[in-house]
């Protein structure tokens, strides 16, 4: 399954919408995504399961890349 992760690059900063970044990850569950990203200095705001129609839309972006966790 593909998940979209909304995060801030620094855990110590207060979340600000303009600084929110996203990444796409392939994993078995939301818990697996959070566990795999635990070693990174990210402040994870939200992890969203991406459905097929949303995935097709996101694939149109030149910056779309799925990380294998």
């Amino acid at each position: 399954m593909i998940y979209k992760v909304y995060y801030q690059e620094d855990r110590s900063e207060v979340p600000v919408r303009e600084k929110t970044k996203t990444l796409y990850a392939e994993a078995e569950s939301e818990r697996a995504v959070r566990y795999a990203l635990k070693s990174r200095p990210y402040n994870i705001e939200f992890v969203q399961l991406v459905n097929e129609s949303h995935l097709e839309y996101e694939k149109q972006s030149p910056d779309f890349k799925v990380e294998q966790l």
Side-chain angles (χ1 to χ4, degrees):
M1 294 186 276
I2 307 291
Y3 291 88
K4 185 174 185 177
V5 180
Y6 297 86
Y7 68 95
Q8 302 286 320
E9 289 188 319
D10 187 2
R11 285 185 186 155
S12 64
E13 288 187 19
V14 176
V16 177
R17 183 183 315 180
E18 290 80 16
K19 293 183 180 180
T20 298
K21 301 195 184 285
T22 59
L23 67 84
Y24 297 90
E26 185 171 354
E28 293 182 16
S29 66
E30 178 182 340
R31 177 178 276 180
V33 172
R34 289 181 179 275
Y35 184 78
L37 296 176
K38 185 171 66 170
S39 63
R40 299 184 191 184
Y42 297 160
N43 179 6
I44 298 174
E45 295 178 34
F46 186 65
V47 179
Q48 175 184 16
L49 179 62
V50 179
N51 62 32
E52 279 298 315
S53 58
H54 186 174
L55 185 60
E56 291 304 316
Y57 173 78
E58 294 291 350
K59 283 181 179 178
Q60 295 174 10
S61 170
D63 298 326
F64 179 78
K65 184 177 84 170
V66 176
E67 292 190 29
Q68 301 291 325
L69 301 178

